[in-house]
Amino acid sequence: MTVYYSEKIGLPKTDPQRWRLRVNELGRQYWDYIEKEDLKNDPQTPYVQYLLKGDEFECPIPEKPQSAFESARNCADFLALIQDESGVFPCQYKGPMFMSIGYVVACYFTNTPIPDHVRTEMIRYVVNTAHPVDGGWGLHEWDKSTCFGTCMNYVVLRLLGLPKDNPVCIKARKVLHALGGALATPYWGKAWLSLLNVYKWEGVNPAPPEMWNLPYSLKIHPCRWWVHTRAIALPLSYISSYKSQMPLTPLLKELRNEIFLQDFDTIDFSKHRNNVCGIDLYYPHTSLLDFANSILVGYDKIRPTWLLKESNDAVYELIKKELANTEHLCIAPVNAAFNTIVAYLEEGPESYNFKRLQERFKDVIFHGPQGMTTMGTNGTQVWDTSFCLQYFFMAGLADLDEYEELIIRDKRIGCFPFSTKEQGYTVSDCTAEAIKAILMVKNHPKFAYLGDYIDEDLLKKGIDGLLSLQNVGSYHFGSFSTYESTRANPALEKINPAEVFGNIMVEYPYVECTDSSVLGLTYFREHWDYRRHDIDTAIERGVKFICDAQQEDGSWYGCWGVCFTYAGMFALEALASVNQYYETNEVVRKGCDFLVSKQMADGGWSESIKSCETHTYVRGKRGMVVQTSWVLIGLILAKYPHKEVIDRGVQLIMSRQKTRGDFDFEAVEGIFNHSCGIEYPNYKFLFPIKALGLYSKEYEQ
């Protein structure tokens, strides 16, 4: 059993037997901590037992697999065991180390009590993810220590109640000071600290709310930016322009003395707007951005009060639309925390909007063995469930009676965001993969009786939406982005203020999103004639983009998974769906040869998260199950002719399978904005099932 650092230093922990995960029919999930007297009447689900007990989780032990199909089946049995009754596969979607600061600051700013059991487990998580050598924190859990990560998580620990003389705080404070102190934290960090009144707003580059009132016809209008960027810029413009900050408390006075290298009252914060620690600076300012900021600083001093009020009233109207459209979840926890503070300032603590936002806090914090943290979204429900359905069919497992219940538990159709219907933001690849999954169920003879549950008109509307997301204008023709088509010139990246992220200002094209969209459209085309010409055209354009996006060495760069192995799998599968294979297509041949050239001595594939940062393939130390599965899926579907290469990969996967059928977490699987890792816990089940099942169909039958 793993002994975590928090336990070694004697930090308290909660009783794992008292935790319950609540999941409703729409996939909403949140944690309860029940009273001891209720334990017998409210038993833990197998999933919660698995998550909190780890290797001590007791479950049936299958016979040792003698074939790839039996190995896939054992993994499927384990996955079925930890499926929630609603049909989803809950998981702790964790990794970024700048999410919990929003939750904690929003609670502290608005006088919202954090329950003791949540406080205890959030402290555990932050402590257990500290760098094992220096004690700091990075942008994500597997990163080197950075000023941003260390400063934000130090503040989180102090606000949650860890004393400054605790060894964890002493060690982290030393790292923070060595990195320049809070003055060197990036833009978002400066904003959070200013809200807490431990930094001053004159040291933060301005985000004028007037920009939201500009004519939409202007190519720089914020509504043309990438949806996550504008969702954060919206409330941040309100907060920063009003220079909102909370009253100074004794704890905040202490923090003023702890996070800087000099006395707080001697600091001229206006000179530190562009002061960012070099280790954090993934995307430096352009001279254009610095010039624009200097102009806006001057404007901020002369802006009429009436104009500020009018602009922020308009901003809040847009925020209220975001709240209504997402059932107060917002697109993600960062902008949700900012929106909570704005609602508190604008409407007060007794208002409907603020109370609903408070209630939604519990949707984005998730418990696990290391403790509780704020996730990247409110879950991965639709994304993971879509993959599960598809891969059971592709692996031949859907034909087996014992998996019928797993496949049909969730009869709700039409929800194609990343997480839940309530959150509501449609995503291109999630839409495509969900439609494909539903059609696999609909068109399989074994599940013909489910036809009444599947609204064909709603599926057609999903296709309409998917087609509308393809880029057919001046930018990235034929590609698919994430939430919407590209609305503005990528040159807007020259005013990217984030400093720690690249490519966040507009909707960029993604090979993976384009691949999934092509897969969804080709599968739909096989079964329906609806909008046949439009779909044919979209597929042709998408395939051309995929081919054009291939790099000279045969690789594809992945933006949402680590990294070339991930994108290569999707690209090869998309090309296979239009009958392009190794022996018949040069692009496919180059793609396969690139991946094969990276096979390791143990037969597997291993790629470091550094690949995402450097845009070059960086090997890990040994083959990994998930990335080996990705490559095998691509090679098998591409009809790669050298079976011995594939055999060695399959052998590695089977050798890593545990006796109960599951696989260990080996390394972070996901990435976003080129620099921040994020974990997809269900990938270690889903992709091995698909790889082993495809291998069995191709070579064992």
Side-chain angles (χ1 to χ4, degrees):
M1 180 179 179
T2 302
V3 178
Y4 291 103
Y5 181 54
S6 62
E7 297 164 356
K8 294 179 182 178
I9 62 174
L11 288 180
K13 63 182 298 185
T14 60
D15 181 355
Q17 296 182 18
R18 293 173 59 185
W19 286 100
R20 301 292 183 271
L21 184 68
R22 312 301 187 189
V23 187
N24 70 9
E25 70 278 1
L26 293 180
R28 184 195 182 195
Q29 52 193 28
Y30 61 88
W31 287 91
D32 270 347
Y33 193 63
I34 66 173
E35 299 297 329
K36 289 183 179 179
E37 54 266 29
D38 295 328
L39 292 177
K40 290 185 179 179
N41 296 326
D42 190 0
Q44 283 182 330
T45 62
Y47 169 76
V48 172
Q49 294 175 13
Y50 158 69
L51 182 69
L52 300 184
K53 291 185 176 181
D55 287 338
E56 294 184 346
F57 171 56
E58 296 180 0
C59 66
I61 303 298
E63 294 183 4
K64 185 176 181 179
Q66 301 300 313
S67 66
F69 183 76
E70 290 178 6
S71 181
R73 188 169 180 171
N74 287 354
C75 187
D77 287 341
F78 188 87
L79 182 61
L81 185 65
I82 61 172
Q83 184 185 28
D84 183 78
E85 285 297 320
S86 67
V88 303
F89 301 89
C91 65
Q92 191 180 42
Y93 182 49
K94 66 183 180 70
M97 295 304 296
F98 58 88
M99 297 289 186
S100 289
I101 184 69
Y103 170 84
V104 174
V105 171
C107 289
Y108 198 75
F109 191 101
T110 63
N111 299 306
T112 300
I114 298 177
D116 287 342
H117 54 276
V118 173
R119 184 185 302 272
T120 296
E121 291 300 336
M122 290 193 81
I123 289 174
R124 283 188 67 242
Y125 182 86
V126 175
V127 169
N128 289 329
T129 52
H131 193 282
V133 177
D134 62 32
W137 293 270
L139 185 64
H140 54 86
E141 188 178 330
W142 308 273
D143 198 9
K144 74 277 183 190
S145 293
T146 65
C147 188
F148 184 36
T150 303
C151 186
M152 294 300 99
N153 287 286
Y154 179 86
V155 171
V156 164
L157 288 178
R158 296 289 284 118
L159 294 179
L160 289 174
L162 204 64
K164 63 183 177 183
D165 58 356
N166 184 281
V168 175
C169 290
I170 293 173
K171 199 173 182 180
R173 199 159 57 241
K174 182 178 179 181
V175 175
L176 177 58
H177 289 180
L179 294 171
L183 287 175
T185 196
Y187 177 62
W188 284 1
K190 287 177 164 68
W192 288 123
L193 296 178
S194 297
L195 277 167
L196 289 172
N197 204 355
V198 297
Y199 194 91
K200 292 188 177 180
W201 280 110
E202 51 261 41
V204 184
N205 281 312
E210 290 88 347
M211 61 186 176
W212 297 91
N213 287 331
L214 294 171
Y216 182 75
S217 58
L218 291 178
K219 298 301 183 181
I220 62 169
H221 194 285
C223 284
R224 295 179 180 273
W225 301 355
W226 184 42
V227 61
H228 280 280
T229 300
R230 69 175 186 255
I232 293 170
L234 184 66
L236 192 51
S237 67
Y238 178 106
I239 291 168
S240 63
S241 63
Y242 274 150
K243 295 180 172 52
S244 305
Q245 58 183 198
M246 67 177 300
L248 201 59
T249 66
L251 175 56
L252 296 179
K253 287 181 180 179
E254 290 185 11
L255 275 173
R256 281 183 168 190
N257 292 324
E258 295 167 24
I259 62 177
F260 297 103
L261 302 183
Q262 65 187 89
D263 183 82
F264 183 87
D265 293 327
T266 68
I267 300 172
D268 183 352
F269 287 90
S270 66
K271 294 182 178 179
H272 294 276
R273 290 185 295 107
N274 299 319
N275 178 7
V276 180
C277 177
I279 203 168
D280 290 75
L281 199 56
Y282 182 80
Y283 196 91
H285 288 193
T286 62
S287 56
L288 175 62
L289 178 61
D290 284 340
F291 175 74
N293 282 334
S294 65
I295 297 296
L296 292 174
V297 167
Y299 170 74
D300 190 54
K301 296 176 181 178
I302 63 172
R303 175 202 290 118
T305 303
W306 67 266
L307 179 58
L308 177 60
K309 175 69 165 58
E310 183 178 282
S311 300
N312 273 332
D313 286 347
V315 163
Y316 192 58
E317 288 302 313
L318 291 174
I319 289 174
K320 287 193 292 186
K321 290 179 180 179
E322 161 89 345
L323 303 184
N325 289 338
T326 63
E327 299 285 345
H328 288 77
L329 277 165
C330 305
I331 192 171
V334 175
N335 84 309
F338 280 127
N339 284 341
T340 299
I341 292 170
V342 174
Y344 177 83
L345 292 169
E346 185 75 16
E347 298 187 36
E350 299 304 317
S351 65
Y352 170 77
N353 279 324
F354 176 72
K355 285 186 174 295
R356 282 289 288 145
L357 283 160
Q358 271 186 316
E359 171 64 19
R360 285 303 200 177
F361 281 172
K362 64 176 66 175
D363 289 53
V364 296
I365 54 173
F366 206 93
H367 192 28
Q370 295 168 289
M372 181 168 273
T373 189
T374 306
M375 299 193 295
T377 65
N378 62 317
T380 62
Q381 294 90 322
V382 169
W383 183 244
D384 286 350
T385 304
S386 297
F387 279 157
C388 179
L389 285 173
Q390 290 182 42
Y391 300 169
F392 271 62
F393 282 92
M394 296 177 77
L397 295 169
D399 294 312
L400 305 179
D401 291 341
E402 60 261 41
Y403 300 119
E404 183 171 348
E405 183 181 358
L406 179 146
I407 289 169
I408 66 169
R409 282 185 180 181
D410 188 3
K411 301 184 177 76
R412 182 178 50 86
I413 306 300
C415 177
F416 307 127
F418 182 75
S419 58
T420 63
K421 182 177 182 177
E422 290 179 315
Q423 192 266 359
Y425 274 90
T426 294
V427 185
S428 62
D429 52 355
C430 299
T431 298
E433 299 288 2
I435 288 175
K436 183 179 177 183
I438 292 166
L439 290 178
M440 282 185 169
V441 175
K442 175 181 173 56
N443 295 310
H444 195 285
K446 184 180 178 68
F447 300 99
Y449 64 94
L450 291 175
D452 292 341
Y453 292 115
I454 298 175
D455 186 337
E456 295 186 2
D457 288 336
L458 196 56
L459 286 179
K460 291 176 181 177
K461 289 179 181 178
I463 290 295
D464 292 340
L466 181 59
L467 289 171
S468 73
L469 295 175
Q470 189 170 35
N471 290 309
V472 293
S474 303
Y475 311 116
H476 322 303
F477 189 84
S479 67
F480 285 83
S481 303
T482 50
Y483 298 88
E484 54 202 14
S485 57
T486 303
R487 296 180 174 184
N489 194 311
L492 272 177
E493 203 65 34
K494 292 183 180 296
I495 58 170
N496 174 357
E499 298 158 345
V500 295
F501 299 124
N503 287 13
I504 67 165
M505 290 305 295
V506 302
E507 271 280 13
Y508 285 88
Y510 299 104
V511 171
E512 307 104 294
C513 294
T514 306
D515 297 333
S516 286
S517 298
V518 168
L519 286 168
L521 291 170
T522 54
Y523 199 85
F524 183 88
R525 183 175 64 179
E526 290 178 16
H527 301 282
W528 269 324
D529 287 328
Y530 178 72
R531 295 189 65 178
R532 172 57 67 97
H533 174 73
D534 295 334
I535 290 174
D536 288 346
T537 301
I539 292 171
E540 181 180 347
R541 290 168 172 172
V543 168
K544 185 179 187 305
F545 174 81
I546 294 167
C547 294
D548 291 345
Q550 188 180 41
Q551 301 187 36
E552 186 62 32
D553 62 3
S555 66
W556 287 274
Y557 177 83
C559 293
W560 299 104
V562 181
C563 168
F564 295 96
T565 48
Y566 183 74
M569 170 191 67
F570 278 108
L572 292 174
E573 182 170 6
L575 293 171
S577 74
V578 292
N579 301 313
Q580 301 297 323
Y581 304 111
Y582 185 88
E583 297 292 353
T584 61
N585 184 275
E586 178 63 20
V587 171
V588 175
R589 188 156 47 250
K590 286 179 63 177
C592 289
D593 289 345
F594 170 83
L595 292 173
V596 171
S597 73
K598 305 302 181 184
Q599 189 171 31
M600 302 183 75
D602 60 13
W605 282 262
S606 177
E607 193 176 356
S608 166
I609 196 171
K610 291 293 182 183
S611 291
C612 307
E613 297 178 12
T614 64
H615 292 241
T616 58
Y617 193 103
V618 180
R619 279 190 173 94
K621 294 181 179 179
R622 65 170 191 158
M624 294 187 292
V625 167
V626 171
Q627 288 169 332
T628 300
S629 298
W630 289 342
V631 174
L632 292 180
I633 290 165
L635 294 179
I636 293 170
L637 292 173
K639 301 185 184 301
Y640 182 71
H642 303 295
K643 180 175 176 288
E644 65 277 8
V645 171
I646 297 171
D647 287 341
R648 294 177 62 217
V650 168
Q651 288 164 11
L652 179 128
I653 295 174
M654 293 179 65
S655 72
R656 298 279 177 82
Q657 189 170 28
K658 299 165 72 173
T659 56
R660 61 190 187 184
D662 60 325
F663 296 91
D664 283 328
F665 169 78
E666 294 177 328
V668 58
E669 307 93 347
I671 191 77
F672 60 89
N673 299 136
H674 304 283
S675 58
C676 190
I678 191 163
E679 188 178 328
Y680 287 78
N682 288 326
Y683 279 10
K684 63 181 179 289
F685 304 117
L686 299 172
F687 289 103
I689 287 173
K690 182 176 182 179
L692 294 168
L694 289 174
Y695 178 88
S696 175
K697 279 189 169 183
E698 185 69 24
Y699 300 113
E700 291 182 346
Q701 296 180 11

